[in-house]
Amino acid sequence: ALKSGSAFSALYRKELRRIFGTPVYLMNTGVGALLLLGGGIYAFVSGGDISAVLSQLPPQISGMIPAALALVLCFCVTLSSSTSACISLEGNRLWILREAPVSVDTIFFAKILAGLTLMLPAVLIGAPLGAYGCGLSLTDALGLILLGVAATFFTVLEGLVLNLIWPKLDAVNDTVVVKRSMSVSVQVFGSFGLLAAGAGLYYLLSKPLGPTGALACLAALLALLSLLFAALLRGWGRRSFEALCG
């Protein structure tokens, strides 16, 4: 167990070094976290001014503030997926990773945890600060935070699944993988469709359930989809990774 834990720690540190040590990778995956942190801090510092402006809005408009914050939060989360390129960036060194004395599940978990490390702190800091600055109720703020956490897990797991579907192990450099590979493009452009679908669901759910109920339902849906992705990775994902390694 100790040896297994040490191997996982080594893999996790390797993933973090790749994220923070590869400028194009960090720029492409860290922008959402920076936007969320910056926006949350700005809303918190300028809370009085923002609340004064929002208080002048008609109830029909001010009632949409939770939805607007949720949309911005999820947009930032979708910009910060490191996992949609994490397999491809192994390149022709992937066989070395497979030959290591660790399970495929451990390899996947290290990549997933590195992706969560990149985005989850920004969600847990930026979302509460933004909610407070915009004058959300405690229940709406909790719903927003739950949605942000669920969206982070969903995005990280989805990215890994997509990269296993469309791996690019023969890229000439990291920029091609991070900027122009199929898995990254599908996640980036697909996220706009998911955001539109989420906005539609929120609109439908908020009428009978209110903002807090709608946010909680969306969070529960993303959590369920995340569990499905996790189950997929334990079966199909394992086999796909082993096939890539030959």
Side-chain angles (χ1 to χ4, degrees):
L2 180 60
K3 183 178 179 181
S4 176
S6 299
F8 169 76
S9 297
L11 286 172
Y12 173 63
R13 290 194 300 269
K14 180 178 78 71
E15 291 299 323
L16 289 181
R17 284 197 302 270
R18 174 170 290 153
I19 292 173
F20 292 99
T22 308
V24 67
Y25 195 22
L26 182 60
M27 288 176 61
N28 211 59
T29 59
V31 62
L34 289 176
L35 287 173
L36 182 55
L37 280 173
I41 292 171
Y42 175 81
F44 179 77
V45 173
S46 307
D49 296 333
I50 294 175
S51 297
V53 171
L54 295 179
S55 65
Q56 303 300 317
L57 297 175
Q60 300 88 337
I61 302 299
S62 60
M64 295 173 62
I65 298 302
L69 288 178
L71 192 62
V72 171
L73 172 61
C74 291
F75 175 72
C76 290
V77 169
T78 60
L79 289 178
S80 294
S81 174
S82 64
T83 50
S84 58
C86 67
I87 300 293
S88 298
L89 285 171
E90 298 291 345
N92 58 13
R93 303 178 301 276
L94 186 64
W95 68 271
I96 301 175
L97 187 62
R98 184 63 189 96
E99 290 299 316
V102 292
S103 67
V104 175
D105 288 343
T106 300
I107 294 170
F108 284 173
F109 187 42
K111 293 179 179 297
I112 290 168
L113 187 58
L116 293 174
T117 301
L118 178 67
M119 192 61 208
L120 207 50
V123 170
L124 294 176
I125 296 171
L129 292 179
Y132 177 83
C134 293
L136 262 63
S137 68
L138 179 60
T139 53
D140 284 353
L142 288 174
L144 187 69
I145 295 167
L146 285 176
L147 178 62
V149 171
T152 302
F153 275 87
F154 171 81
T155 301
V156 169
L157 290 163
E158 177 200 30
L160 184 53
V161 168
L162 290 175
N163 202 194
L164 287 168
I165 295 174
W166 290 292
K168 188 174 182 60
L169 302 176
D170 58 351
V172 295
N173 55 50
D174 292 342
T175 301
V176 172
V177 172
V178 173
K179 295 289 188 181
R180 297 196 292 273
S181 63
M182 179 63 76
S183 56
V184 173
S185 299
V186 169
Q187 183 162 45
V188 169
F189 292 109
S191 66
F192 294 113
L194 291 174
L195 288 171
L201 279 173
Y202 178 91
Y203 176 77
L204 294 174
L205 293 170
S206 63
K207 290 183 177 298
L209 301 177
T212 303
L215 292 173
C217 285
L218 289 175
L221 177 60
L222 288 176
L224 177 60
L225 292 173
S226 297
L227 290 174
L228 292 176
F229 277 140
L232 185 64
L233 287 169
R234 290 183 65 84
W236 167 86
R238 253 188 230 154
R239 296 190 297 271
S240 298
F241 183 82
E242 290 169 351
L244 286 175
C245 299

